[in-house]
Amino acid sequence: MEKNIMILPGDGIGPEIINETVKILDYISFKYNLNIIYEYGDIGGIAIDKYGTPLKDDTLEKCKNSDAVLLGAVGGPKWDTTEPGKPRPEDALLKVRKELGLFANLRPVKIYKPLISTSTLKEEVLEGVDILVLRELTGGIYFGDRNRSSDEKGEYAFDTEKYYRFEIERIAKLGFKTARLRNKKVTSVDKANILESSRLWREAVNEIHKEFEDIELNHMYVDNASMQLIRNPKQFDVILTSNMFGDILSDETAMISGSIGLLPSASLREDSLGMYEPIHGSAPDIAGQGKANPVAQILSLAMLLRYSLNFISQADIIEKAVNNVLEKGYRTADIFYDKKNKLVSTSEMGNLVLNEIKSLN
Ligand code: NAD
């Protein structure tokens, strides 16, 4: 059956790293007869320049009708504006997530042995770390009622953490399903000792767990989780948590790995449609210089194959190839710390991964 991917390179280094990734997609698709059809679209600053809007309706429509979206990055100083009413590149990202109903954000963080020294944590703490932070993306305090007012004590402001049971249940289901593809353990993070919304969170997660008895579940308060991530990150497999706690913990987890250019992410909904992108931005400071690390983008393609298209073995091959290339000592500038390694450009890194994939078949 034909699979359709919408590719949105965006701004800055987006087109360069997408270029390297598409070489790999073309090869994998041809080699394994995957019947993947893809189409390009504009998003972000480039779309503002061409059409006056960061995301045209027909591009959005094509995303909705595809099996998955592969995004580079958007933004740059040219479009930085605080003028009300002026279009901003980032508006397009929020629009895609909202219109596609992508309620879950997945951020895997794996420690690559050859890069272990780039982290600020000790080697023995890091070895073997393989965590996936699963963050609820469309509910909670970022979307609840908020306002400012004043009373006899003075001015005040409030934000509201509100979760519906169905919102918790669907992300919990995805958490247990994802854990099944990994190391079969879910740590649900909340603040149930204080917050009523967290008590509902815990109740709903426990309820859904009854359908997934093969998966180990434990609960942890968010303050403890933030400590445990630094003390003993190996204890985690899938971290399941709310929008705000996930926002904070996913950045903490990303930093454990020590490099922003290596980390992919996915935003998903129930029927497996998803958007896949590196966690980094458009890096305008290095755009067009052949310095960008394409690995996070390439690993985003691996996630796309795994989670949206169910091509698990091909995803495994891409991930293994990246690991092997790093083990052989090839580094783009952002991870070139040791003179013993070999410094390579964006396209050299892409070709190295591609050739490694070819040799793994
Ligand atoms: P950034 O992630 O683009 O860059 C931070 C630093 O990391 C820079 O020094 C950059 O050169 C480096 N870097 C990032 N990705 C790299 C890669 N693949 N290889 C090598 N080095 C890399 O964050 P920023 O500088 O805060 O933001 C730049 C622009 O990107 C802004 O316009 C911002 O709004 C936008 N942004 C977009 C997204 C997105 O598209 N999802 C996310 C974050 C920021």
Side-chain angles (χ1 to χ4, degrees):
M1 213 175 64
E2 190 180 290
K3 303 279 187 189
N4 289 284
I5 302 180
M6 192 64 191
I7 301 182
L8 309 172
D11 307 313
I13 62 169
E16 302 162 49
I17 56 179
I18 282 282
N19 222 6
E20 299 314 311
T21 306
V22 169
K23 284 184 199 167
I24 290 166
L25 173 60
D26 284 341
Y27 175 76
I28 291 261
S29 177
F30 169 75
K31 169 84 189 168
Y32 297 96
N33 231 337
L34 301 184
N35 206 4
I36 295 174
I37 311 285
Y38 57 83
E39 190 181 336
Y40 287 95
D42 290 317
I43 192 168
I46 187 172
I48 295 177
D49 287 352
K50 283 189 183 171
Y51 319 110
T53 168
L55 186 68
K56 282 199 304 172
D57 289 345
D58 68 325
T59 312
L60 179 62
E61 221 32 56
K62 285 177 184 169
C63 292
K64 283 184 183 165
N65 294 328
S66 66
D67 294 294
V69 179
L70 185 67
L71 175 82
V74 300
K78 184 176 174 194
W79 304 283
D80 275 347
T81 175
T82 46
E83 248 180 84
K86 273 230 161 174
R88 291 176 53 86
E90 291 79 4
D91 298 343
L93 295 182
L94 299 179
K95 193 162 177 188
V96 180
R97 286 183 191 136
K98 183 163 175 272
E99 293 281 329
L100 267 57
L102 306 174
F103 66 85
N105 183 252
L106 287 76
R107 272 204 200 179
V109 174
K110 220 183 188 146
I111 298 299
Y112 292 97
K113 231 176 155 190
L115 289 176
I116 222 163
S117 59
T118 63
S119 172
T120 50
L121 297 189
K122 289 188 189 129
E123 273 188 32
E124 62 266 30
V125 174
L126 288 170
E127 220 161 358
V129 164
D130 185 359
I131 303 172
L132 185 134
V133 180
L134 179 58
R135 166 187 170 196
E136 202 288 328
L137 209 54
T138 53
I141 198 162
Y142 292 175
F143 292 90
D145 282 348
R146 69 177 61 114
N147 218 331
R148 283 190 189 209
S149 189
S150 56
D151 60 16
E152 65 287 353
K153 290 190 216 155
E155 188 182 10
Y156 68 88
F158 66 89
D159 301 275
T160 318
E161 172 89 348
K162 174 174 169 180
Y163 265 112
Y164 286 95
R165 185 178 276 271
F166 83 87
E167 292 176 305
I168 307 167
E169 286 176 349
R170 67 182 180 185
I171 189 99
K173 251 183 211 154
L174 187 64
F176 292 121
K177 281 188 192 161
T178 310
R180 247 186 206 150
L181 298 173
R182 298 171 44 91
N183 295 316
K184 297 198 166 54
K185 182 176 173 187
V186 170
T187 303
S188 175
V189 172
D190 61 36
K191 190 70 185 163
N193 49 343
I194 312 260
L195 301 176
E196 200 52 43
S197 52
S198 278
R199 287 193 268 271
L200 178 65
W201 181 278
R202 203 173 268 221
E203 243 175 73
V205 170
N206 281 334
E207 202 51 43
I208 296 296
H209 184 226
K210 291 178 185 157
E211 299 165 31
F212 296 88
E213 280 176 352
D214 54 320
I215 308 294
E216 184 189 338
L217 168 68
N218 67 324
H219 298 277
M220 202 177 269
Y221 298 137
V222 63
D223 39 350
N224 186 24
S226 68
M227 289 196 297
Q228 295 298 329
L229 271 169
I230 302 298
R231 196 185 72 82
N232 177 20
K234 258 176 269 190
Q235 69 185 287
F236 296 105
D237 176 22
V238 173
I239 295 178
L240 166 68
T241 193
S242 63
N243 203 341
M244 181 165 67
F245 295 160
D247 191 2
I248 299 164
L249 292 181
S250 59
D251 271 14
E252 186 186 354
T253 314
M255 269 306 102
I256 291 176
S257 88
S259 177
I260 197 172
L262 296 174
L263 300 175
S265 78
S267 303
L268 296 179
R269 65 182 195 199
E270 270 142 327
D271 67 356
S272 84
L273 176 85
M275 180 162 82
Y276 299 81
E277 59 185 310
I279 73 157
H280 59 72
S282 60
D285 53 333
I286 57 165
Q289 302 169 31
K291 287 184 183 164
N293 187 345
V295 165
Q297 187 78 66
I298 292 169
L299 292 174
S300 300
L301 171 66
M303 284 189 90
L304 183 156
L305 295 173
R306 183 182 303 281
Y307 291 108
S308 279
L309 306 190
N310 206 24
F311 294 140
I312 312 287
S313 59
Q314 289 79 9
D316 286 344
I317 287 176
I318 295 176
E319 286 166 1
K320 188 157 199 301
V322 165
N323 188 61
N324 290 358
V325 168
L326 294 174
E327 272 198 350
K328 289 177 184 171
Y330 295 104
R331 304 280 186 272
T332 41
D334 56 312
I335 49 173
F336 184 70
Y337 298 108
D338 183 343
K339 293 257 163 21
K340 288 200 285 291
N341 290 321
K342 295 158 225 145
L343 180 65
V344 295
S345 67
T346 308
S347 62
E348 283 168 337
M349 184 55 111
N351 290 339
L352 283 160
V353 176
L354 178 61
N355 289 334
E356 191 65 30
I357 291 171
K358 288 179 180 170
S359 76
L360 285 171
N361 289 250

